[in-house]
Amino acid sequence: MTDDIEIKDKAAWDAAEKVADYEHGWSSDIETDFAPKGLNEDTVRFISAKKNEPEWMLEWRLKAFAMWKTMEAPDWAKLNVPPIDYQDAYYYAAPKAKPKLNSLDEVDPEILRVYEKLGIPIAEQKLLAGVEGGEDGGLPQRRVAVDAVFDSVSVATTFRAELERAGVIFRSISEAIKEYPDLVRKYLGKIVPMHDNYFATLNCAVFSDGTFVYIPEGVRCPMELSTYFRINAENTGQFERTLIVADKGSYVSYLEGCTAPMRDENQLHAAVVELVALDDAEIKYSTVQNWYPGDAEGKGGIYNFVTKRALCQGRNSKVSWTQVETGSAVTWKYPSCVLNGENSVGEFYSVAVTNNHQQADTGTKMIHNGKGSRSTIVSKGISAGHSNNTYRGLVRVAPNAEGVRNFTQCDSLLLGSLSGAHTVPYIEVRNPSAQIEHEATTSKISDDQMFYAMARGLNAEEAVALIVNGFAKEVLQQLPMEFAVEAQKLLGISLEGSVG
Amino acid sequence: MLQITNLHANVGDKPILKGLTLSLNAGEIHAIMGPNGAGKSTLGYVLSGRPGYEVTEGSVTFNGQDLLALEPHERAAAGLFLGFQYPVEIPGVSNVQFLREALNAQRKYRGEAPLTGGEFLKVAREQAGALGMDMDMLKRPVNVGFSGGEKKRNEMVQMGIIDPALAILDETDSGLDIDALRVVGDGINRIMRKPDKAVLLITHYQRLLDYVKPDFVHVLDGGRITRTGGAELALELERDGYKELAA
Amino acid sequence: MSAPTRHNEAWRYSDIAAVEAAWPLPAPESIIVPAGGTFARTIIQDSGTIHQLDIAIGKGATAAIHVLNIGGDYGRVELNVTLHEGADFKLGAVQIGGGSQTLEVITTVTHAEPGATSSQIVRSVLAGTATGTYLGKVAVARDAQQTDSVQSVKAMLLDRSATANAKPELEIYADDVKCAHGCAIGELDAMGLFYLQARGITPADAKKLMLQAFVAGVFEGAADEEALTEAALAKLGDLV
């Protein structure tokens, strides 16, 4: 029983607990079902057929693919990325398993073993044991419903029954396309349009799975929702598609986390996340990202090109993005909020750590169209090793948006003298009643701080971890409690080797 | 001099003053006391015309004029002076420049000739000296870097220079130590205790009233005047609190 | 070389038609401040022209530039500054635009060597459908330790549909540095305006006074401080 609770308490990712090497650097011997290598129209059809999609979905994908062929990858980010050969990869990898998964008994036991190893609470029974009270000394247990994505296919969704009682729809997007086509069609591609950018268009054509969430009017989702990603097979790009719709007056907190195995070839991750919040609704979206960053020489690692956007459509709607980015070799993501609703609120809290030869170009866009809309941006960048860490942000106020408020704080912490920290903020204001404030600072850990911490008994790496956590505290505070603890550990681990 | 009749006023959507009636004659010093949130500062802001404060009912006459029909700068020129509870900092504009422009704007409105630079500095030096402030302070930007007490004394210097007919002083005693309190109190008496002037002291505590003895004390509670008395009322309130005297 | 387009970062908010009309531009004026020397320049852009300066500041030398950008349909002042060891650069710039003017101040300050300091203060006041832009990049090279760099950018919009753009950019490759920037865009403080009016100053004069306060201090220390301030106030007077 204690074991069960322990697993529950460490729900989500059990990121590097041990020192040094990437703990999850192994792959499992699972039979995988691949699409033929390469990317052409047949690949798109293959994916759609594998998922038994309705005609409209296939047409949507083909339209996107045709569009993608006419586009060019963007090159304006401060990133040094060798050209990606899009033909030299597999676009679909599903672990072979029984076609329909109603209960966990049907899941390939090898998969269950993988998740157990990762510490993900996929076993429904184990989770429930802690929940009913009494078994655990009456302490309220955090409940997390998990939709596990394993190499492009959602494996199991737990807690379905309880969510259904509340009216919450929490499905893999493949299921949702079939079960709730109207709802999906209403919003899919409306927040991030098909033509938005190169990687989003690619995603539209070849997305394989992801999460769909719908919270009905007035419902406060009774538990945190979570999806776990894992890229396993060699040379597969992961193209998740997530759509979360919060209807009027609803609330949901969603957690996204990832790990990936060591590989020599770079792997591509081009996800699209769309969020919609209607009147008085709130979505909290948290990400702790620990993709494989490449080895100390800069070889291997994940390319993370993600488009995330929230539409705060309703009045008083609110979307909060919180991210802790420590992995991936190359990161390109700008979770953004389009603030259309009157008095809508957008928030972006980010800690991005780069070490060794990682490169990150990340930030946010807050587009203020609605009167009285407000946004808060807190970005903490930590650069170590030979890495480069860039914050790129946009705050834009439309002429008719009266009474807009924005506060932005970008802080960079440089560890060692071989890394780079960059800040590129764009501020475009067209309404005189807006109050926009932006501050940026750059610093290093001072010798005094290090000495003080070490004089109190911490070794160099522990001291750095402590100080870095203090630096990042404001962002870590935004995470749901359990993840904050994991994130703190992750920060310390991701900086290993950067001291001395 | 000032006749407020059945004044109702909102701050944003919220009604704060709910039928306030009060009159002041020249030569009188009135004190308004009351619990927090009762509307004391609101009264001051409504009388001086701060944006965001909307009169929904009632009237105010000042020396025969409809005060509410005037813009804030016109009310100042008509002889009204609001001592701010939180005097505003204006970086880059010196006190001297600010006050000379203000005074001359008022004189212009009244059809009087402006003061020359030299004439103005003479007045400014006198008033500053009387309140224990040196000219260096006056040359600094308005209220920038001033302590709370210094800001309040600066308000009094301004009052001395502008020499209004009616002073409405909003919690002028807050943030003052004993010495400053005495200086400010003496300043009010010197400048405003005259047969053709009147003062409305808005205060939460009665200690300023030890230095500036009021002729009338009113209790403002729930947006209205609930009680009126002489100076001894202030001492009663201090002793028994506002709840005891709830109307 | 053909004229730039909006895709060229340094021209992203420019009046491209005006740029094309002025193209090709003469080579930027090149200024070399010798080690230990001092340099000061006042630029009053009041006729719709493009000023481009490349300034190399030698070891321990100082340079101070004051800019008032107020005239013509399209006015651009572009400074490319390189700092050597222990050098110091100061910029005080004011932009005041009305009508449909497009005004921009574009700076690239490179701390190429250690121990240099730079400080940039930019204030913009925009009315009508004017556009005022500040693109300011501070680049700190790999070994430029002990750099101390500061940017203070503020803009005030007087009318809806005036536009303020700001991009205070940092590119930092050294760790023992102090680099900070602050950018604020807003409107005149309502309480400040009321305070002035409650003392008898008319609304228009109150506005002028506060705008004057807003640009105050930028020209402190300039040789032509009075002339600059006068010209700035005159332009402000036109706007209000």
Side-chain angles (χ1 to χ4, degrees):
Chain A
M1 203 38 77
T2 344
D3 282 337
D4 300 336
I5 294 168
E6 202 189 355
I7 289 172
K8 252 201 65 48
D9 281 346
K10 289 192 296 186
W13 36 103
D14 197 58
E17 275 217 317
K18 292 136 196 156
V19 186
D21 294 327
Y22 191 74
E23 180 182 59
H24 306 294
W26 39 263
S27 64
S28 33
D29 289 325
I30 294 175
E31 291 180 64
T32 333
D33 197 3
F34 284 88
K37 200 180 210 189
L39 178 53
N40 54 43
E41 205 179 283
D42 287 336
T43 321
V44 177
R45 288 179 188 280
F46 180 95
I47 295 171
S48 196
K50 263 286 169 193
K51 303 182 139 304
N52 276 321
E53 284 178 348
E55 190 65 29
W56 63 266
M57 198 63 240
L58 173 61
E59 272 167 31
W60 200 77
R61 289 180 182 271
L62 290 172
K63 183 172 168 194
F65 182 67
M67 198 184 282
W68 182 74
K69 284 196 290 186
T70 69
M71 295 168 83
E72 268 177 40
D75 72 342
W76 43 263
K78 263 173 146 63
L79 300 171
N80 202 0
V81 181
I84 297 169
D85 181 356
Y86 291 93
Q87 297 304 327
D88 188 28
Y90 298 98
Y91 285 84
Y92 185 81
K96 277 194 182 139
K98 304 240 171 79
K100 195 152 157 40
L101 305 164
N102 264 326
S103 102
L104 290 151
D105 297 338
E106 297 180 35
V107 178
D108 190 325
E110 176 66 36
I111 292 177
L112 280 181
R113 215 168 296 130
V114 168
Y115 278 100
E116 209 177 289
K117 205 164 173 179
L118 289 172
I120 298 166
I122 201 167
E124 210 166 317
Q125 297 93 321
K126 287 186 176 177
L127 284 166
L128 287 171
V131 166
E132 298 311 314
E135 311 274 29
D136 49 341
L139 293 164
Q141 294 291 306
R142 293 289 288 271
R143 281 121 36 95
V144 183
V146 175
D147 178 43
V149 177
F150 192 101
D151 275 333
S152 312
V153 169
S154 288
V155 173
T157 307
T158 54
F159 276 129
R160 217 176 250 227
E162 180 158 357
L163 291 175
E164 261 165 29
R165 264 201 302 279
V168 171
I169 301 172
F170 177 40
R171 294 280 186 281
S172 75
I173 198 133
S174 309
E175 289 176 306
I177 287 166
K178 289 181 275 210
E179 273 182 81
Y180 304 96
D182 293 332
L183 208 44
V184 173
R185 276 181 102 156
K186 188 170 176 185
Y187 295 106
L188 191 72
K190 298 291 194 315
I191 299 103
V192 177
M194 196 181 275
H195 60 264
D196 190 271
N197 69 77
Y198 186 76
F199 298 107
T201 313
L202 177 59
N203 180 290
C204 289
V206 296
F207 80 85
S208 43
D209 218 320
T211 305
F212 175 74
V213 175
Y214 173 79
I215 317 288
E217 232 179 282
V219 171
R220 190 180 173 87
C221 187
M223 63 196 65
E224 255 142 19
L225 303 180
S226 152
T227 294
Y228 209 106
F229 296 120
R230 191 172 191 281
I231 296 177
N232 191 43
E234 291 183 34
N235 259 341
T236 48
Q238 266 226 5
F239 301 93
E240 286 83 48
R241 186 98 197 177
T242 295
L243 173 60
I244 300 180
V245 180
D247 214 323
K248 297 189 197 160
S250 67
Y251 170 86
V252 62
S253 169
Y254 183 86
L255 316 161
E256 177 202 312
C258 356
T259 66
M262 265 185 205
R263 291 293 177 192
D264 273 348
E265 309 84 32
N266 293 317
Q267 299 182 59
L268 175 65
H269 183 234
V272 172
V273 175
E274 295 178 282
L275 307 183
V276 185
L278 302 182
D279 290 355
D280 301 301
E282 182 178 339
I283 302 175
K284 192 172 164 68
Y285 193 102
S286 311
T287 307
V288 174
Q289 185 271 98
N290 182 30
W291 295 113
Y292 179 56
D295 63 16
E297 269 73 62
K299 202 160 176 244
I302 302 289
Y303 287 174
N304 196 19
F305 299 135
V306 179
T307 306
K308 287 179 168 171
R309 194 165 308 153
L311 187 58
C312 295
Q313 189 57 32
R315 56 184 333 174
N316 308 320
S317 56
K318 176 173 170 185
V319 171
S320 250
W321 298 100
T322 303
Q323 60 178 35
V324 177
E325 306 273 323
T326 62
S328 77
V330 177
T331 301
W332 183 92
K333 63 189 289 226
Y334 314 96
S336 301
C337 295
V338 178
L339 299 160
N340 285 345
E342 212 173 296
N343 301 324
S344 53
V345 174
E347 294 177 346
F348 175 76
Y349 295 94
S350 164
V351 175
V353 181
T354 53
N355 198 355
N356 297 314
H357 291 270
Q358 285 176 286
Q359 303 178 68
D361 194 306
T362 175
T364 181
K365 298 186 213 176
M366 294 293 177
I367 312 293
H368 289 264
N369 296 323
K371 298 191 206 306
S373 52
R374 297 184 327 265
S375 59
T376 304
I377 299 172
V378 177
S379 164
K380 305 275 183 183
I382 301 160
S383 340
H386 297 263
S387 67
N388 270 300
N389 200 327
T390 301
Y391 166 83
R392 188 178 304 266
L394 168 66
V395 175
R396 179 184 290 159
V397 181
N400 287 327
E402 296 293 326
V404 167
R405 300 281 175 272
N406 160 271
F407 175 74
T408 303
Q409 179 82 40
C410 296
D411 296 326
S412 298
L413 185 65
L414 287 149
L415 302 181
S417 56
L418 299 172
S419 56
H422 318 297
T423 308
V424 188
Y426 294 88
I427 301 159
E428 298 170 1
V429 180
R430 303 196 61 192
N431 183 293
S433 65
Q435 302 278 13
I436 308 297
E437 281 171 47
H438 171 99
E439 280 168 35
T441 65
T442 304
S443 57
K444 61 180 274 238
I445 296 180
S446 73
D447 295 334
D448 287 346
Q449 284 174 310
M450 281 298 285
F451 178 61
Y452 186 67
M454 288 170 77
R456 293 287 175 266
L458 298 172
N459 67 35
E461 285 187 344
E462 287 165 341
V464 168
L466 179 79
I467 293 165
V468 165
N469 265 292
F471 175 74
K473 186 170 168 188
E474 210 179 326
V475 173
L476 297 180
Q477 274 171 183
Q478 295 293 325
L479 290 171
M481 189 189 59
E482 329 166 302
F483 302 143
V485 172
E486 290 308 314
Q488 277 184 321
K489 287 191 218 161
L490 191 53
L491 280 191
I493 300 302
S494 59
L495 289 171
E496 268 159 22
S498 68
V499 181
Chain B
M1 181 189 276
L2 183 72
Q3 176 69 46
I4 306 172
T5 311
N6 192 31
L7 189 62
H8 292 252
N10 291 354
V11 181
D13 291 330
K14 206 166 165 230
I16 303 286
L17 297 181
K18 302 171 185 170
L20 193 148
T21 297
L22 182 64
S23 52
L24 270 76
N25 296 314
E28 291 174 356
I29 297 189
H30 293 239
I32 295 201
M33 305 179 72
N36 287 329
K40 301 196 299 297
S41 286
T42 300
L43 177 59
Y45 288 137
V46 169
L47 291 176
S48 56
R50 182 174 168 190
Y53 289 72
E54 196 200 335
V55 172
T56 51
E57 210 186 316
S59 67
V60 180
T61 329
F62 178 53
N63 279 333
Q65 276 187 61
D66 178 2
L67 186 67
L68 301 176
L70 299 177
E71 297 289 312
H73 66 287
E74 292 171 333
R75 301 187 197 193
L80 194 125
F81 178 91
L82 176 67
F84 279 58
Q85 184 177 12
Y86 303 106
V88 183
E89 292 184 16
I90 313 211
V93 180
S94 75
N95 267 305
V96 167
Q97 181 190 7
F98 163 47
L99 289 170
R100 191 180 65 231
E101 278 197 38
L103 185 58
N104 284 338
Q106 289 191 34
R107 289 174 74 95
K108 182 172 169 191
Y109 188 87
R110 295 191 291 260
E112 300 163 14
L115 291 185
T116 65
E119 287 168 338
F120 175 78
L121 279 175
K122 184 157 174 277
V123 174
R125 208 172 283 127
E126 258 174 53
Q127 293 300 325
L131 275 139
M133 290 179 92
D134 60 31
M135 277 308 282
D136 275 342
M137 287 206 93
L138 279 201
K139 288 184 185 153
R140 281 164 46 184
V142 181
N143 290 321
V144 173
F146 283 23
S147 69
E150 284 167 341
K151 284 181 184 173
K152 292 294 168 62
R153 281 205 274 172
N154 196 25
E155 293 287 279
M156 294 298 99
V157 172
Q158 294 185 10
M159 189 170 81
I161 291 170
I162 288 171
D163 202 25
L166 171 65
I168 302 167
L169 303 179
D170 189 358
E171 308 235 2
T172 297
D173 56 336
S174 73
L176 297 181
D177 61 27
I178 305 278
D179 293 323
L181 199 54
R182 178 176 299 120
V183 168
V184 166
D186 287 348
I188 298 172
N189 286 326
R190 172 179 52 84
I191 300 165
M192 298 302 295
R193 202 181 274 282
K194 293 183 176 148
D196 57 343
K197 295 187 187 293
V199 181
L200 188 58
L201 287 168
I202 298 175
T203 179
H204 189 73
Y205 298 106
Q206 84 88 35
R207 53 184 205 142
L208 177 62
L209 306 180
D210 286 339
Y211 298 93
V212 184
K213 290 238 173 347
D215 302 307
F216 298 94
V217 174
H218 311 271
V219 179
L220 200 168
D221 196 358
R224 300 164 61 245
I225 304 285
T226 53
R227 231 182 114 168
T228 296
E232 62 296 338
L233 177 54
L235 296 163
E236 239 186 273
L237 287 169
E238 184 94 324
R239 200 179 57 226
D240 302 331
Y242 290 110
K243 284 213 182 67
E244 277 293 306
L245 298 158
Chain C
M1 201 176 84
S2 57
T5 66
R6 284 189 186 247
H7 292 294
N8 298 103
E9 202 41 46
W11 305 85
R12 76 185 265 134
Y13 300 109
S14 308
D15 179 345
I16 292 295
V19 176
E20 281 169 355
W23 208 259
L25 297 173
E29 186 185 340
S30 175
I31 293 160
I32 299 179
V33 188
T38 50
F39 176 79
R41 170 79 66 92
T42 296
I43 300 173
I44 299 185
Q45 191 298 105
D46 58 0
S47 52
T49 47
I50 298 174
H51 297 247
Q52 293 178 306
L53 268 75
D54 287 346
I55 308 173
I57 310 178
K59 285 201 200 322
T62 63
I65 312 273
H66 291 95
V67 173
L68 179 60
N69 192 8
I70 48 174
D73 286 332
Y74 175 61
R76 179 185 175 92
V77 177
E78 198 177 326
L79 305 174
N80 210 332
V81 180
T82 306
L83 291 158
H84 292 281
E85 194 171 347
D88 176 69
F89 173 66
K90 278 195 183 38
L91 170 69
V94 171
Q95 303 194 96
I96 305 173
S100 57
Q101 290 179 285
T102 301
L103 301 171
E104 42 196 33
V105 170
I106 318 286
T107 66
T108 306
V109 175
T110 304
H111 287 253
E113 288 177 10
T117 49
S118 65
S119 138
Q120 299 178 61
I121 303 177
V122 182
R123 301 282 180 264
S124 305
V125 179
L126 301 151
T129 58
T131 298
T133 301
Y134 169 69
L135 304 182
K137 178 170 172 179
V138 172
V140 178
R142 179 63 69 199
D143 293 313
Q145 301 292 7
Q146 310 294 320
T147 289
D148 190 331
S149 154
V150 111
Q151 291 165 291
S152 167
V153 183
K154 290 194 190 168
M156 191 84 76
L157 296 176
L158 298 183
D159 294 313
R160 186 184 296 188
S161 267
T163 304
N165 299 314
K167 184 188 169 199
E169 185 183 348
L170 295 173
E171 185 186 276
I172 298 173
Y173 288 103
D175 65 325
D176 192 3
V177 303
K178 269 194 260 174
C179 294
H181 67 227
C183 174
I185 301 184
E187 56 180 352
L188 291 172
D189 175 36
M191 197 56 172
L193 283 169
F194 173 61
Y195 189 59
L196 295 173
Q197 288 177 59
R199 294 288 175 265
I201 298 176
T202 66
D205 284 341
K207 223 171 169 184
K208 270 192 222 153
L209 207 53
M210 288 196 73
L211 286 175
Q212 172 199 322
F214 181 63
V215 304
V218 180
F219 297 133
E220 225 172 295
D224 311 333
E225 189 178 345
E226 260 190 63
L228 283 164
T229 310
E230 230 181 274
L233 292 184
K235 184 69 197 269
L236 278 176
D238 288 342
L239 287 188
V240 173

